[in-house]
Amino acid sequence: MRGLFRGIIYCSLWYGSIVAGFLFIACPLLPLMFISPPKFRRYGDLLFSCWELYPAALMELLGMKIVVSGDHISPDDSAILVMNHRTRVDWNFLWGAMYQACLPHIAAHKLKFILKDPIRHIPGPGWIMQMNSFLYITRRWEVDQGRLSRSLDYLIDLRRRTQLLIFPEGTDLTRSSREKSDKYAAEHGLPTYNYTLHPKTTGFTYLARHLQKSNYLDSVYDLTIGYPDRIPQSEIDLVTGKMPDEIHFHVKRIDISDLPENEVHLRNWLEKRWLLKEEILKQFAEKKSFSDVPWPKPSQLPLRIALVFWTLLTGSAILLILTSSFFRFWTILHVLIFICLSLFSSGFSELEMGWYWHWKRKFTEASPKEINNKT
């Protein structure tokens, strides 16, 4: 019963805070996009970074311990983060790890996930991720290559030092996905893995080469996640209280000077990292830890402030929906806008990027030829 109560509280506050942030902060920012797209992106990233403190605070409050070891993540790095995908909810615990991994801690990084396209349709979280320029892929390379190219060119042109997270395995580790990975290994003469899946190298290689060619890649961070006790495989596990007491992360920074520039060598490099990751996770399964010397616990004050702020914001949203006709109208209006964007377009981020290039052509000194190449 305690686990169920903990799961309901965590998921309800987590989801409620996203909806409240969407209605109270993100939607009122929308006019700024038409006035100054760079400022809209800057403040949008800041909003999301501040929100990321909230799930970290909830984990701390409800007794989920995040243990991080290895290298710190520099928020000034333009970087690719690669991580094993043990469960469907790995990304949820990553925010707690990023709070510890980044120096300084407060609203430091500009983390953006590369996710499956259907996720953008989820009411609330999917819409906020669209507004935060997360990258969505369809697993059809002829479509995904264009999407990735446009998104990367946009972030590069804004000079945003962004951290892009990709799960090279493409899916979480389950019995069926492991069977497919083993079949792939047998067909290509590769070793079979027990703790990871063989990575798909196309997406990572394209990201790395695109950023390298633009001189806009500082490093790659190899993140490894491990669960020493309970493993929540899905969102249902979280809601029903099957939540881990500890989640461990190990971070390895690879400088751009140590990353190959040839596409074939990049593919081989990633495969070798995954072979090493398999060995690391094998040792983790025995020791229940990546390191005997985890980092000291960071300051809890920002988490406490975030806990109070976002909880009050969530409560205010619920109260206003129940009592205010104007706020109900505001809610319905923006819900309908984003439903239409999800159903009849490639998402808000495509609209944002298209307007940015139009705005730059009309209101800045950029070369028309340069702008036309992007659009």
Side-chain angles (χ1 to χ4, degrees):
M1 183 61 69
R2 177 180 176 273
L4 177 61
F5 175 77
R6 188 169 68 156
I8 291 174
I9 289 295
Y10 177 79
C11 294
S12 298
L13 290 175
W14 181 92
Y15 187 84
S17 67
I18 291 177
V19 174
F22 173 73
L23 295 173
F24 274 118
I25 306 176
C27 290
L29 272 178
L30 285 174
L32 183 60
M33 183 185 76
F34 298 98
I35 300 169
S36 176
K39 289 183 179 178
F40 173 79
R41 181 73 276 126
R42 186 183 311 123
Y43 294 138
D45 288 347
L46 178 61
L47 163 65
F48 199 84
S49 294
C50 290
W51 174 83
E52 288 174 353
L53 297 173
Y54 190 57
L58 288 176
M59 290 179 225
E60 183 73 23
L61 178 68
L62 297 173
M64 287 181 280
K65 182 180 179 183
I66 303 292
V67 181
V68 185
S69 59
D71 299 327
H72 283 285
I73 295 175
S74 170
D76 295 323
D77 272 1
S78 175
I80 301 172
L81 280 61
V82 294
M83 189 170 114
N84 60 307
H85 204 3
R86 178 62 186 84
T87 82
R88 281 169 53 98
V89 293
D90 288 331
W91 52 270
N92 181 67
F93 304 117
L94 180 61
W95 287 313
M98 291 297 287
Y99 175 66
Q100 295 188 36
C102 281
L103 290 176
H105 298 296
I106 303 174
H109 59 81
K110 294 172 283 291
L111 179 64
K112 302 184 186 304
F113 295 1
I114 298 172
L115 300 167
K116 299 173 186 176
D117 189 68
I119 294 175
R120 70 183 175 90
H121 298 288
I122 300 174
W127 302 340
I128 282 288
M129 290 176 183
Q130 288 185 48
M131 294 181 74
N132 199 51
S133 291
F134 280 37
L135 287 69
Y136 291 95
I137 56 175
T138 64
R139 291 187 174 178
R140 299 193 305 275
W141 185 239
E142 64 276 10
V143 174
D144 294 338
Q145 183 175 1
R147 284 191 178 186
L148 291 175
S149 178
R150 289 191 297 274
S151 297
L152 294 175
D153 288 341
Y154 172 57
L155 295 172
I156 291 169
D157 200 77
L158 285 173
R159 311 310 294 173
R160 302 293 290 165
R161 311 304 288 181
T162 304
Q163 295 80 48
L164 300 171
L165 174 75
I166 185 170
F167 295 104
E169 292 161 304
T171 188
D172 56 318
L173 179 60
T174 63
R175 179 180 297 178
S176 61
S177 63
R178 182 183 291 166
E179 289 174 354
K180 292 177 182 177
S181 180
D182 290 347
K183 181 179 179 182
Y184 174 86
E187 291 173 350
H188 293 82
L190 299 171
T192 56
Y193 291 161
N194 293 316
Y195 303 98
T196 61
L197 306 173
H198 279 278
K200 299 175 175 65
T201 58
T202 300
F204 167 79
T205 301
Y206 183 81
L207 286 176
R209 288 299 299 133
H210 195 108
L211 293 172
Q212 284 175 326
K213 290 174 183 177
S214 303
N215 294 318
Y216 211 70
L217 182 64
D218 300 312
S219 60
V220 172
Y221 289 91
D222 185 358
L223 277 62
T224 306
I225 185 172
Y227 299 86
D229 44 60
R230 287 181 293 276
I231 301 177
Q233 196 66 42
S234 68
E235 294 82 358
I236 297 298
D237 287 339
L238 289 183
V239 174
T240 56
K242 188 180 178 181
M243 307 175 80
D245 293 324
E246 291 186 5
I247 309 99
H248 290 238
F249 289 84
H250 185 73
V251 183
K252 174 64 177 176
R253 183 183 188 274
I254 298 95
D255 191 80
I256 183 62
S257 60
D258 296 320
L259 197 70
E261 296 185 1
N262 177 277
E263 183 174 327
V264 174
H265 292 164
L266 276 169
R267 292 176 184 272
N268 293 335
W269 180 89
L270 185 65
E271 290 169 351
K272 290 177 181 177
R273 292 302 312 177
W274 240 251
L275 180 62
L276 178 60
K277 191 182 295 289
E278 174 74 10
E279 291 301 315
I280 291 172
L281 285 166
K282 181 179 179 180
Q283 295 175 21
F284 178 85
E286 299 170 357
K287 298 180 179 179
K288 305 299 182 183
S289 176
F290 289 121
S291 172
D292 296 330
V293 189
W295 296 340
K297 205 170 187 180
S299 170
Q300 299 300 292
L301 181 59
L303 299 185
R304 291 167 185 164
I305 294 172
L307 183 65
V308 172
F309 174 80
W310 290 101
T311 302
L312 288 177
L313 198 71
T314 302
S316 299
I318 295 172
L319 181 63
L320 285 174
I321 287 174
L322 294 175
T323 61
S324 170
S325 298
F326 173 78
F327 194 75
R328 285 195 293 271
F329 170 77
W330 174 269
T331 300
I332 292 170
L333 173 65
H334 288 92
V335 166
L336 290 176
I337 289 173
F338 274 82
I339 287 175
C340 291
L341 281 173
S342 293
L343 293 178
F344 304 114
S345 75
S346 298
F348 178 85
S349 55
E350 293 285 338
L351 173 66
E352 178 186 345
M353 289 185 289
W355 172 251
Y356 170 76
W357 294 115
H358 174 78
W359 173 87
K360 187 171 182 179
R361 182 172 61 246
K362 292 292 186 181
F363 302 108
T364 72
E365 300 299 324
S367 161
K369 180 178 181 181
E370 175 188 349
I371 300 296
N372 290 331
N373 287 338
K374 303 300 182 184
T375 56

